[in-house]
Amino acid sequence: MSEKQMEWWKSAVVYEIYPRSFQDSNGDGYGDICGIISRLDYLKELGIDAIWLCPVFRSPQDDNGYDISDYQDIDPIFGSLKDMEQLIAEAKKRGIAIILDLVLNHTSDEHRWFQEAKKSKSNPYHDYYVWRDGTESEPPNELQSIFSGSAWEWVPELKQYYFHQFSRKQPDLNWENPKVRAEIYKMIRWWEQKGIGGFRMDVIDQIAKEPDRGITVNGPKLHMFLRELSSVVFQGKNLITVGETWGATTKLAKLYSNPDGSEFSMVFQFEHIELDQEPGKKKWDLSPLRLEDLKRVLGKWQKELYQTGWNSLFWCNHDLPRIVSRWGNDEKYREESAKMFATLLYGLQGTPYIYQGEELGMTNVRYALEEYRDIETLNMYQERIHAGYTHEQIMESIYAKGRDNARTPMQWSKDKNAGFTSGTPWLKVNPNYTVINAQEQQKNPDSVFRYYQRLIRLRKTYDVFLTGYYQEVCPENPEIFAYTRTADREQLLVICNFYANTAAFDLPEKGGSEKELLICNYPDIQDERKLRPYEARMYRYQ
Ligand code: GLC
């Protein structure tokens, strides 16, 4: 196999599906695997190469499937193993790989291992999890769960606490135990044999915890565990592997995505995502994004990983708000700003990820508290009300950052429930579906959908997207984010007006080279040196 084939994921575009919100096929209000199969042609048309499928494994759904009770079965709300096999086969026919979402930091408390583990201290599964002695009134330490409250849950029968970094129904696995690691490898091999194209690994930088020392992220044994995992089940299989790592720095990312393949293909880093929160505080503590910070952070990742690692490129996922509402404009300039963000991201080096509905410019929602479903949001509400925040303050945080912003059903058409379900959707559909939906956008050559399609095609046409070196242009400009990517014989120039006012830009003269406009989010260019609200352009010089 040539090196290029081995690294197919470098030129791939990945589409993330949140199954319960994508397409319902049986009217129960939850999206399912058969629903996804029925939409594969849509994805093919968009031009993607792989689907990252959020967890569809058997689960009590306390955290929408991120609490797995059986890794080798499909939850009935999503379908059956047979449906899954069919999805893999149907996707393959269309040249699309399926990436599974492996939650390896924790299981559900309803997983057989945990059910056994809590029977007695001498049970062979006890040590699959992280336990500490204590007394009911005094947990081992002050560590907090990411979903609010103590990270320790008391089990009276054992007079012990178990450790959970997420909900109490998500006990953390003990990676120190070689038997746990062996079980995980066996399970991954089983999926590989079914023709899976890759894996996304949930909160993978939290597996090497040392709770007694207060260490939850980036524990000392992390890279040892990951290298073992990779050498036992990933290497030599031409897979795409991507870790979710909130604690990544560029230095760590060079280990994770080392070109020698010793760990993963790449990781999701979140430094740019955390720029609109108060430093040192939580995501709910809002603070406006400063363009200069975004330039600095994205630029740093581009430069530092050049030839020493690989970036994943994303604005959105199932945990994050919609980008047009977050940093763009979800009213007058919704389409322009959606396209601008796409242009900005797709010119960069790395593998782009589209989160379902992003290709339509879907927006955030403002619901009443009772209409939200997300455990993180609801727990945070309780915690903050008790801490003295007002209802209004908390709601502002939820409108801005709540995970349900991303989880409202996919907007397929103007039909009832946006064509998502014939039943009652598990989460209310965004009322703007009559205007923003896939059917309309497929008919319209200037839609956000068509724009994404064109960008994806461009990335596959010119090598400069793959190899070009990143250099920022006009770093001091407060309104424009511009950069070049330079390869042997070609150069890309990306210019984006980040705001709703007109901005001036000095288009560089490059004597002797030919300039071609690859894409622009306005129908024509009136003045090369003036950018209209959220105007974005990509030029190629040769
Ligand atoms: C990751 C997932 C998120 C989930 C959490 C716990 O951050 O993306 O949705 O709640 O891990 O598994």
Side-chain angles (χ1 to χ4, degrees), residues 63 66 106 147 166 200 202-203 244 318-319 403 407:
D63 183 21
Y66 283 90
H106 45 268
F147 289 166
F166 294 88
R200 177 252 186 195
D202 192 62
V203 293
E244 182 199 23
H318 65 287
D319 295 326
R403 304 197 297 182
R407 299 175 179 185

Side-chain angles (χ1 to χ4, degrees), residues 165-303:
Q165 299 191 62
F166 294 88
S167 96
R168 60 167 68 93
K169 286 186 66 63
Q170 293 167 295
D172 270 53
L173 281 166
N174 175 17
W175 272 71
E176 301 271 347
N177 182 343
K179 284 196 208 137
V180 168
R181 306 204 299 272
E183 296 258 23
I184 287 173
Y185 304 152
K186 202 169 89 193
M187 174 274 287
I188 295 178
R189 278 206 201 92
W190 186 82
W191 278 112
E192 283 172 348
Q193 279 155 12
K194 295 201 175 291
I196 286 301
F199 301 96
R200 177 252 186 195
M201 275 144 295
D202 192 62
V203 293
I204 199 70
D205 58 358
Q206 293 175 221
I207 59 170
K209 50 236 146 197
E210 295 193 7
D212 305 316
R213 299 204 287 145
I215 297 175
T216 53
V217 181
N218 293 327
K221 295 193 185 139
L222 176 63
H223 294 275
M224 191 184 88
F225 291 150
L226 296 185
R227 282 194 282 267
E228 182 184 279
L229 167 74
S230 175
S231 70
V232 178
V233 287
F234 295 155
Q235 283 167 29
K237 299 206 177 90
N238 204 11
L239 298 165
I240 173 170
T241 51
V242 51
E244 182 199 23
T245 54
W246 284 82
T249 58
T250 50
K251 196 167 157 223
L252 292 173
K254 289 182 205 184
L255 294 177
Y256 289 126
S257 65
N258 192 324
D260 70 6
S262 52
E263 295 190 15
F264 301 144
S265 315
M266 67 193 100
V267 286
F268 294 120
Q269 62 83 15
F270 293 87
E271 202 178 338
H272 61 302
I273 292 300
E274 294 186 316
L275 291 174
D276 61 358
Q277 70 195 47
E278 285 181 44
K281 291 211 171 166
K282 299 214 161 129
K283 72 176 191 183
W284 310 109
D285 303 304
L286 312 175
S287 150
L289 172 77
R290 299 185 328 165
L291 179 58
E292 57 188 282
D293 290 339
L294 186 67
K295 290 184 184 186
R296 174 178 49 76
V297 169
L298 289 181
K300 177 180 76 180
W301 280 85
Q302 286 291 299
K303 289 196 158 180

